[in-house]
Amino acid sequence: MPSKLLALALLVFGPAARAADSEAIAALRAKIEQQAAQVETLRAELARLEADIRGRDAVSAPPPAPPPPPPTVKFGGLIQGWYVAGDAGFNDTFRIRRAELRVSGDLTRKFGWVLMIDPAKSLTVSSGTVNQASRVLQDAFITVAVPHGATVQFGQYRVPLSREGVEPVVTLDTVERALFLADRARGGNYGDIRDIGVSLRGTLGGRYDYHVGVFNGSGESQNDTDREDRKAVVGRFVARMPGGLRLGASGAWGGAAEVGRPRRDRLGGELLYTRGPVKLAAELMTGRDGALERRGFYAHAGYRFRPRLEGIVRVDGWDPDTSRDGGLAAATETDYTIGFNYNPIATLRLQANAVHKVFSDDALEDRNLLLINLQTSW
């Protein structure tokens, strides 16, 4: 009897119990799915917070320093071959005017160096014109980059005097520089001179260039030590104006005169205007060497007929002693030049200048020169 009652109860209540179990399982599954969704939401929020923290750390932390560049070495050079012909007793001649070999390099982003020699200046003693400036060593200096885009130079190099005095040889407008730079026999060393010292160069406001330094002398101490404590202060300043105009000034102060060493002061102004094919340039340079006061100038005009062909005219004057005339040493020379510059390729240049020379007080007979320069640079 009891077994029959148990069987009857299972038949009646079994389906109901199974239905209740299914509902409980479904409810548990729904709760598990809800909790899984909450876990995924929390994971997404955690990932967002971690990304924000990484972003803030990246902004606040300084960027990693780039690795220092390897030292570099660059080779360059220049060869100039001249042919010079003239009248009034001038001996026509071929000449190797320059044979410059230049090596430069960067040790780091801040430190660099330059070494340049010119074997064409290795003159023989028999020529009677050898001095320290004629030795083969031309440039030997170290550069150091300092804040605000400036550079410190130490060693031997061109002093910052005169626009044409610091212009690279490869871009000169004429075969020879102006008389106040080139007439060395009559004191024309008012630029394109080298000495040993230290200087600072840079740009202010993107428009004003400066180069100022202290040197053993104003060109007389090249390849040599100073013979006294007095030093020369040399500087050049250029303002780049709108419309292609540049105005500048340069000068040198050699200190008070001392026994055995006269004063060597210079002061000059410069102008350069370039617009399209037109180029205008002018300089005036004055100075004193001991008791002698000197003055030189040039006015230059160029016109580029084609991208590779330029015609030029120039008037160039030099007075080695403004206090008197008479004799070649004090005579004023004025040169009238016409010529052209032709660059068949970027590294090859042909120049020809016809020059008419006039001397005051008939110190020398008027003469004509033809100067031809063929140069290559690399």
Side-chain angles (χ1 to χ4, degrees):
M1 187 65 182
S3 60
K4 292 181 178 181
L5 291 174
L6 180 59
L8 181 62
L10 290 173
L11 289 173
V12 175
F13 297 107
R18 286 194 298 272
D21 291 340
S22 297
E23 291 178 358
I25 292 171
L28 288 173
R29 286 177 175 171
K31 189 172 183 179
I32 291 171
E33 291 176 356
Q34 182 181 6
Q35 290 177 346
Q38 292 176 348
V39 169
E40 291 300 322
T41 300
L42 291 173
R43 285 178 176 172
E45 181 66 16
L46 178 61
R48 186 186 66 80
L49 290 174
E50 290 176 343
D52 289 343
I53 292 172
R54 287 194 300 269
R56 287 195 298 270
D57 290 343
V59 172
S60 59
T72 60
V73 177
K74 299 178 182 178
F75 296 90
L78 168 78
I79 297 176
Q80 278 190 341
W82 283 16
Y83 176 72
V84 186
D87 56 13
F90 184 88
N91 295 321
D92 302 350
T93 183
F94 292 100
R95 180 185 180 189
I96 299 299
R97 176 63 177 86
R98 294 178 176 91
E100 297 177 353
L101 301 174
R102 178 185 174 96
V103 186
S104 62
D106 294 319
L107 301 177
T108 67
R109 288 185 174 89
K110 289 187 176 182
F111 298 94
W113 55 273
V114 174
L115 177 65
M116 193 264 282
I117 62 173
D118 184 0
K121 287 198 172 186
S122 182
L123 306 178
T124 62
V125 176
S126 60
S127 69
T129 58
V130 171
N131 54 46
Q132 290 293 349
S134 70
R135 304 302 183 191
V136 298
L137 179 62
Q138 299 296 290
D139 295 331
F141 61 91
I142 298 171
T143 62
V144 182
V146 295
H148 307 293
T151 302
V152 173
Q153 290 186 186
F154 173 75
Q156 178 172 286
Y157 46 91
R158 281 194 182 97
V159 301
L161 188 63
S162 163
R163 183 195 74 85
E164 195 166 278
V166 299
E167 186 173 1
V169 174
V170 293
T171 59
L172 285 177
D173 297 312
T174 51
V175 175
E176 186 59 278
R177 300 181 194 264
L179 286 171
F180 68 79
L181 305 166
D183 192 357
R184 302 297 172 89
R186 301 196 306 153
N189 57 357
Y190 281 32
D192 187 31
I193 50 179
R194 290 172 167 86
D195 218 310
I196 305 171
V198 59
S199 64
L200 177 69
R201 66 188 305 171
T203 301
L204 298 174
R207 291 179 54 186
Y208 304 99
D209 301 330
Y210 65 89
H211 189 182
V212 60
V214 179
F215 299 85
N216 281 344
S218 52
E220 67 271 23
S221 301
Q222 179 178 343
N223 293 325
D224 203 355
T225 58
D226 204 350
R227 305 303 171 86
E228 59 176 8
D229 292 335
R230 189 178 60 168
K231 298 294 178 284
V233 178
V234 188
R236 178 170 177 258
F237 305 87
V238 177
R240 287 176 279 169
M241 313 299 289
L245 176 64
R246 296 190 180 193
L247 299 175
S250 61
W253 181 70
E258 297 179 3
V259 177
R261 182 170 179 178
R263 289 187 59 177
R264 291 171 59 88
D265 301 334
R266 287 92 172 87
L267 181 62
E270 61 187 66
L271 176 151
L272 175 64
Y273 175 76
T274 55
R275 190 174 184 87
V278 176
K279 181 176 185 178
L280 303 176
E283 283 196 70
L284 172 66
M285 184 65 70
T286 62
R288 169 178 289 186
D289 290 283
L292 296 178
E293 293 186 0
R294 312 182 192 271
R295 180 173 59 243
F297 77 93
Y298 70 82
H300 176 97
Y303 187 85
R304 193 167 295 279
F305 297 97
R306 296 180 179 179
R308 298 179 180 179
L309 178 63
E310 177 188 33
I312 63 99
V313 293
R314 170 178 289 210
V315 179
D316 184 4
W318 172 238
D319 187 351
D321 187 349
T322 61
S323 65
R324 65 184 182 93
D325 276 327
L328 182 59
T332 300
E333 178 182 348
T334 306
D335 289 0
Y336 302 89
T337 302
I338 184 170
F340 70 86
N341 302 317
Y342 176 59
N343 294 77
I345 58 177
T347 57
L348 184 66
R349 193 174 213 196
L350 174 65
Q351 296 177 291
N353 290 170
V355 184
H356 179 63
K357 292 178 171 287
V358 178
F359 297 87
S360 65
D361 293 337
D362 297 325
L364 279 180
E365 180 184 353
D366 294 356
R367 60 185 56 193
N368 300 291
L369 289 181
L370 174 65
L371 294 89
I372 299 176
N373 171 43
L374 180 64
Q375 72 181 33
T376 182
S377 58
W378 63 92

